[in-house]
Amino acid sequence: MSEIVKEPSMLLQKEMIARNYEAITSKHETGRKVSSTFVPGNLNELLLCFDIVNNLPEINAIQNGMRKLSGNYIMDAEKAGHSEDVCTYVKADIGMMGAGNIAPNGKPFPKPDVLLLSYTGCYTFMKWFELLREEYKCPTLMLHVPYEGDGHSTKNMRDYIVKQLKEVIIPGLEEVSGIKFDIDRLREALRNSAKAEDNLVWVLESGKHKPSPIDAYFGGVYYIGPIFTAFRGTRDAIAYYDALRKEVQARIETRQGPITPDGSNFNDQRYRLIVEGPPNWTNFREFWKMFSDEGAVVVASSYTKVGGMYDLGFRHDADNPLETLADYCLGCYTNRNLPTRVDILAKYIEEYEADGLLINSIKSCNSFSAGQLMIMNEVERRTGKPGAFIETDLVDPRYFSAANVKNRLESYFQMIEQKRLGTAKAA
Amino acid sequence: MRCFIGIDLGSTTTKAVVMDENQTVLGRGITNSRSNYDTAAAVSKQEALVDTRLTLFRRSLEAVPGTADVAEAVLADLERNFRHIQFVEQLEDLERTCIGNVKGPRFAGREKPVIEALAETFRRLREHSATQFAPGFRRKSDFFRDLAGGDFMHNGEAVCREAGLAFDLILNIYDKSIIKVENRPPAGDIEGKFVRALEMESLDQSLIAAPVKSALSIPLEETYVVGTGYGRVRLPFPKEHIRSEILCHGLGAHIMYPGTRTVLDIGGQDTKGIQVDPAGIVENFQMNDRCAAGCGRYLGYIADEMNMGLQELGPLAMQSTKQVRINSTCTVFAGAELRDRLALGEKREDILAGLHRAIILRAMSILSRAGGVKDQFTFTGGVAKNEAAVRELRKLIKENYGDVQININPDSIYTGALGGAAFAVRAVLN
């Protein structure tokens, strides 16, 4: 395969990510502190208040998956005793540590100064940090976020989180960083977040156009990069989303689709899909091509909401700084119950005028995958649009069977086509 | 006449169906997929066209007073003669290929006796071929490789012994050559061969020659071909001519049984549960994940483990008197369980019955994920021919879904190709 073609905003983001890895790996020279934390419900604005650099193990696993390194790391972790069925992000991380803990910039990752665990629906995150704590012997700050079991949050839940922020998280970060918490600094970061979030939502909602100027899954994972990682709350993120918005606006004006992995404009969009579940990273481009080759564009996805459901109206609010952090953590996709996920996906099908729902079920992720078939059946029932189910993995190349996935996808697209032709013609 | 063709390039066998524009099946053809999908597609299509000619002969003969009664016998003779001509043609190809392979240091100075031994072996093969295609002879296989191979071993060994040559010499040539010949579709000219087959016949020419020749004069125009199955991308036609097996099995099952609402297809590599609407349009499907446990290949593996033919598994399992529980549909683990049960002294037929149940249990899980079993339920694919699998399926469907009508067509193996052919008709006529 030829070199992947990148849109200008992707190149901009690449530079930002490289800069963050540089900041992490040069901590001994700069004296900055480093935290490890997870994407869903992360507290980046708070970390910015303490000059703490943000390192995200899931993102490292994704990077290693896309760079074809995760397979060996996973096998190494299995040799160390981790089961085949355990989350492969965890094993890719553990394996990477065993292989020298080298960051994508070629320099070793330093030990984190703090593990900041915002617990938003993934039990594995807790166990993962247990392993890291054992390895690094560094302080762990846990923010417990109540699960939205009834589909909504309550004042009690919010108060509970704010209390933890005040009594545990902020004092803990002050101690690690040696910097006194300044709420005005947090407000400034939150204002920056909200600006970037406005543009992100605009970009993601542009999928309602026909042709869609974006791919809200394969392209979408790039669009969410800065906002869900170390850049939310920064001026860099504002600049990125301004640039991205202009890029997408230009495509809307010329009625162009996004760029395909081959570098052509994806204008011949035959199928509009909603996708649920994370993508496969080890065969990302091959996977993407299976869609673009068949003219299938993803107009909305749930994965681009794992770190925050901004399109449902939430914005970080500088006037209520701690409360807004609580609301953000409570509302991220992984913290929502199954009926809410069904509601969201059914709504996307209607609003984005999609042809159907495709679920990519992740073999090693029980948190995300449990109940997905039920979700599909229910969304099908409500919308009357066909669903399909494929199975791959996050970063374990052994779990990606190209022939099987392609067979199912092609069948699904043809099934949509056949349904469009209608009963009269098919009989 | 306009012909619409569906080709199902499966992992084990390749099937073709020829239809007319009224969606009437004219002919069916099947071959092994080998490692060469191009040849498999060409051979299965050729076989289906041969079968189409036979259908046209039947129609033609039945329309003539006095021939209707003898039509089936005439057709049987014609087909046997045709197959014999085709077989001899392939034998000649094999002989030429073998002789062409007599070269290199291994044969230095021995070329002449080796070529003579080959020529004599093939002479005997040709002579014996008449017996293999004689009326009443039960051929063990219809594949050229199987027919020619057995005879070559037998005659070649005798010829070499008589000539004082090592059999290994010509066996090695045969092994190299049969692969080449097998991967070349038999020469075309189906009509010419039928004319020769007709002339070989001892039947009353004056009565049947005219109707047969009249049927032969109908041109078979390949109007539209649709491909499906794992090898579909190999087919030399545009993407619009390709349909997934899921759609083809759904539509094929609908054509066979219009009341079909749920389809189970157990093929070589996949098990699929498919829901179709009253028009045969696929509404939903589920299939096995990347692991092909419990698919047709599982039975092939078990047959190898038991040192039996694939076709013998079902009948032996039917003799079981006691259910041995086999938990694993994983091909490798099932082998381990099989060995374990044999070591414990369990009977082969009881173990086999357990293995068939394991396959069907896995299929039941896929069916339930696809939305359960609705009336009518149609079982398609190669495994539908296996009576032990069918017995377990009937039991489990009854237990789980009650009295659902279960359809199993004797031509179930052609379901995918049938759906493909129907798509071909629709592509042109709609």
Side-chain angles (χ1 to χ4, degrees):
Chain A
M1 281 193 189
S2 56
E3 185 65 23
I4 192 161
V5 177
K6 292 186 187 289
E7 295 173 343
S9 60
M10 287 185 189
L11 297 171
L12 180 58
Q13 182 177 158
K14 194 175 169 187
E15 182 274 320
M16 291 163 75
I17 290 171
R19 198 149 27 95
N20 193 53
Y21 276 121
E22 198 52 40
I24 296 167
T25 53
S26 62
K27 90 162 202 180
H28 296 302
E29 293 93 77
T30 62
R32 292 185 71 178
K33 303 293 181 190
V34 171
S35 81
S36 279
T37 194
F38 293 111
V39 170
N42 72 60
L43 300 170
N44 199 54
E45 295 90 344
L46 201 56
L47 291 169
L48 290 173
C49 297
F50 299 97
D51 284 339
I52 295 176
V53 189
N54 189 348
N55 185 21
L56 298 129
E58 304 130 282
I59 304 295
N60 299 338
I62 292 171
Q63 291 275 341
N64 288 328
M66 293 183 96
R67 292 159 68 224
K68 312 277 182 205
L69 298 170
S70 57
N72 284 339
Y73 290 161
I74 289 167
M75 304 262 258
D76 286 347
E78 286 176 6
K79 277 182 208 157
H82 296 276
S83 155
E84 196 178 333
D85 299 324
V86 165
C87 168
T88 51
Y89 278 167
V90 178
K91 286 187 291 182
D93 193 35
I94 301 284
M96 181 182 73
M97 287 197 288
N101 219 7
I102 304 299
N105 62 3
K107 298 178 185 173
F109 275 114
K111 286 185 177 183
D113 298 285
V114 62
L115 299 171
L116 176 57
L117 170 56
S118 170
Y119 176 74
T120 51
C122 176
Y123 181 71
T124 303
F125 280 170
M126 218 155 35
K127 294 289 161 193
W128 193 348
F129 267 14
E130 216 174 301
L131 292 164
L132 296 190
R133 186 170 62 175
E134 185 64 24
E135 174 76 19
Y136 294 126
K137 315 275 190 248
C138 68
T140 308
L141 299 174
M142 178 168 171
L143 176 71
H144 180 246
V145 178
Y147 180 60
E148 286 198 350
D150 295 330
H152 56 84
S153 60
T154 63
K155 185 176 177 302
N156 266 351
M157 291 178 180
R158 186 198 231 199
D159 291 347
Y160 172 58
I161 296 173
V162 169
K163 185 173 157 53
Q164 292 179 76
L165 288 171
K166 282 180 181 166
E167 295 177 4
V168 180
I169 306 298
I170 291 173
L173 293 175
E174 281 178 329
E175 196 179 331
V176 165
S177 66
I179 293 173
K180 186 91 184 107
F181 175 58
D182 174 357
I183 199 155
D184 290 330
R185 207 174 161 187
L186 177 61
R187 287 182 204 275
E188 177 62 26
L190 293 169
R191 266 190 288 277
N192 289 343
S193 295
K195 278 184 200 161
E197 286 156 8
D198 280 342
N199 281 339
L200 169 75
V201 170
W202 184 92
V203 166
L204 293 178
E205 291 190 338
S206 72
K208 290 178 183 171
H209 287 266
K210 290 180 186 175
S212 172
I214 61 164
D215 184 290
Y217 190 55
F218 296 104
V221 300
Y222 289 96
Y223 303 154
I224 60 173
I227 206 102
F228 286 175
T229 61
F231 298 95
R232 201 181 60 242
T234 67
R235 293 191 175 282
D236 278 337
I238 297 177
Y240 170 82
Y241 286 101
D242 271 344
L244 176 64
R245 178 168 177 161
K246 289 192 181 92
E247 191 178 296
V248 175
Q249 179 70 52
R251 287 204 292 268
I252 293 172
E253 283 161 13
T254 51
R255 294 184 55 77
Q256 296 283 307
I259 294 175
T260 66
D262 290 334
S264 56
N265 278 96
F266 189 8
N267 300 334
D268 181 20
Q269 300 177 357
R270 296 193 288 281
Y271 312 105
R272 294 167 63 82
L273 302 180
I274 306 298
V275 176
E276 148 81 4
N280 167 275
W281 301 105
T282 53
N283 298 64
F284 185 79
R285 194 184 172 203
E286 186 184 0
F287 191 34
W288 186 353
K289 248 181 87 58
M290 288 180 191
F291 288 72
S292 60
D293 283 354
E294 296 291 323
V297 67
V298 183
V299 290
S301 73
S302 57
Y303 183 66
T304 48
K305 316 293 157 55
V306 281
M309 301 273 331
Y310 302 109
D311 62 330
L312 297 187
F314 172 81
R315 292 291 182 281
H316 280 95
D317 174 10
D319 294 334
N320 297 289
L322 298 186
E323 293 77 9
T324 203
L325 289 177
D327 292 342
Y328 165 67
C329 293
L330 281 163
C332 66
Y333 190 71
T334 50
N335 203 46
R336 295 184 183 241
N337 70 355
L338 292 175
T340 314
R341 283 166 71 184
V342 169
D343 289 343
I344 291 167
L345 294 166
K347 175 172 165 304
Y348 286 164
I349 291 202
E350 303 293 347
E351 289 184 357
Y352 288 78
E353 295 180 39
D355 294 302
L357 171 70
L358 175 79
I359 292 183
N360 180 31
S361 187
I362 298 298
K363 298 286 285 184
S364 72
C365 179
N366 288 333
S367 295
F368 220 103
S369 306
Q372 276 180 328
L373 196 58
M374 179 281 285
I375 288 179
M376 187 187 87
N377 292 337
E378 184 58 19
V379 172
E380 271 186 324
R381 192 188 65 75
R382 277 203 216 172
T383 63
K385 296 289 168 68
F389 203 78
I390 55 172
E391 288 147 292
T392 72
D393 191 57
L394 299 164
V395 288
D396 190 340
R398 296 170 300 181
Y399 281 148
F400 187 84
S401 167
N404 187 285
V405 172
K406 195 163 186 281
N407 205 4
R408 294 197 208 195
L409 285 177
E410 286 182 10
S411 298
Y412 179 50
F413 301 144
Q414 290 175 12
M415 183 173 116
I416 293 173
E417 190 68 52
Q418 198 188 15
K419 282 198 159 207
R420 275 192 197 143
L421 284 171
T423 308
K425 278 196 166 182
Chain B
M1 69 188 298
R2 296 212 286 181
C3 290
F4 302 87
I5 303 173
I7 303 178
D8 179 1
L9 288 129
S11 61
T12 320
T13 53
T14 296
K15 289 77 62 175
V17 165
V18 177
M19 254 183 190
D20 66 14
E21 54 194 38
N22 301 317
Q23 291 197 32
T24 306
V25 174
L26 299 174
R28 298 180 183 86
I30 188 167
T31 186
N32 52 339
S33 292
R34 312 173 174 86
S35 54
N36 187 334
Y37 277 126
D38 296 341
T39 309
V43 172
S44 67
K45 191 170 82 176
Q46 204 178 78
E47 288 292 318
L49 289 169
V50 167
D51 197 34
T52 299
R53 282 287 172 210
L54 291 166
T55 303
L56 297 179
F57 295 155
R58 180 176 292 109
R59 286 182 186 173
S60 192
L61 286 166
E62 282 171 356
V64 178
T67 58
D69 295 345
V70 293
E72 286 311 314
V74 170
L75 286 170
D77 285 343
L78 261 178
E79 188 181 358
R80 273 191 299 97
N81 290 352
F82 177 89
R83 299 273 174 217
H84 188 197
I85 291 167
Q86 198 174 45
F87 180 77
V88 170
E89 214 174 73
Q90 281 187 285
L91 265 187
E92 281 161 4
D93 182 12
L94 182 60
E95 183 176 1
R96 275 193 306 275
T97 311
C98 282
I99 288 172
N101 276 331
V102 183
K103 58 188 173 197
R106 187 174 178 166
F107 300 101
R110 288 192 287 181
E111 289 90 345
K112 194 164 173 279
V114 170
I115 290 172
E116 279 171 3
L118 282 168
E120 175 56 20
T121 304
F122 279 102
R123 192 193 63 73
R124 294 186 191 184
L125 256 63
R126 267 191 298 278
E127 195 176 274
H128 181 239
S129 68
T131 316
Q132 280 180 310
F133 290 91
F137 187 86
R138 280 178 66 94
R139 291 189 298 275
K140 280 189 176 168
S141 165
D142 283 330
F143 295 138
F144 175 73
R145 185 193 184 104
D146 300 337
L147 291 180
D151 257 19
F152 187 91
M153 299 303 138
H154 175 67
N155 287 296
E157 201 165 10
V159 168
C160 285
R161 200 168 43 243
E162 289 160 22
L165 275 175
F167 178 52
D168 272 5
L169 274 178
I170 68 163
L171 184 61
N172 177 263
I173 294 170
Y174 170 84
D175 284 343
K176 256 200 247 173
S177 309
I178 188 72
I179 295 167
K180 279 189 189 163
V181 173
E182 194 180 41
N183 284 325
R184 272 196 287 267
D189 189 26
I190 296 171
E191 288 72 28
K193 278 181 224 169
F194 268 120
V195 171
R196 280 151 62 200
L198 180 68
E199 285 161 0
M200 281 168 72
E201 203 34 59
S202 55
L203 285 167
D204 186 352
Q205 291 285 313
S206 62
L207 196 62
I208 63 163
V212 168
K213 283 185 177 162
S214 128
L216 270 174
S217 68
I218 300 170
L220 297 181
E221 178 199 332
E222 283 182 37
T223 307
Y224 204 96
V225 186
V226 163
T228 187
Y230 266 100
R232 59 191 183 272
V233 289
R234 283 296 311 160
L235 291 168
F237 35 78
K239 207 174 168 184
E240 310 81 71
H241 291 236
I242 306 287
R243 290 284 187 289
S244 83
E245 305 104 277
I246 290 165
L247 261 68
C248 288
H249 274 271
L251 185 57
H254 168 77
I255 290 171
M256 285 173 168
Y257 302 99
T260 300
R261 291 295 175 275
T262 304
V263 182
L264 171 66
D265 166 39
I266 306 186
Q269 306 293 324
D270 293 320
T271 300
K272 307 169 194 94
I274 307 166
Q275 308 287 6
V276 294
D277 74 3
I281 296 176
V282 174
E283 291 196 308
N284 197 349
F285 67 88
Q286 285 292 323
M287 58 188 270
N288 55 299
D289 60 14
R290 76 196 192 291
C291 166
C295 300
R297 185 66 197 97
Y298 170 95
L299 285 173
Y301 176 79
I302 297 300
D304 290 347
E305 278 282 302
M306 299 282 249
N307 204 18
M308 291 170 67
L310 186 60
Q311 318 301 335
E312 297 172 273
L313 291 184
L316 184 59
M318 290 299 282
Q319 294 170 25
S320 86
T321 49
K322 169 187 155 200
Q323 187 95 51
V324 170
R325 191 187 167 106
I326 302 286
N327 289 318
S328 189
T329 44
C330 166
T331 306
V332 177
F333 284 151
E337 283 202 52
L338 166 80
R339 292 275 157 217
D340 182 49
R341 298 295 179 180
L342 284 172
L344 289 170
E346 300 279 9
K347 282 202 245 164
R348 294 200 310 167
E349 50 267 40
D350 296 338
I351 299 171
L352 279 179
L355 286 162
H356 282 85
R357 185 176 173 84
I359 288 184
I360 299 301
L361 278 171
R362 167 115 171 146
M364 293 299 291
S365 158
I366 289 168
L367 276 170
S368 64
R369 294 177 72 201
V373 173
K374 294 171 192 138
D375 196 13
Q376 299 169 17
F377 169 72
T378 303
F379 184 23
T380 69
V383 178
K385 276 185 171 259
N386 180 311
E387 52 193 322
V390 169
R391 179 178 66 177
E392 292 305 325
L393 182 71
R394 285 188 189 281
K395 262 193 250 168
L396 285 163
I397 295 282
K398 172 110 177 148
E399 277 170 28
N400 289 281
Y401 299 99
D403 283 320
V404 175
Q405 181 175 325
I406 299 174
N407 306 315
I408 300 170
N409 195 289
D411 288 320
S412 64
I413 198 162
Y414 291 101
T415 311
L418 178 72
F423 276 121
V425 175
R426 288 168 188 198
V428 174
L429 300 186
N430 285 350

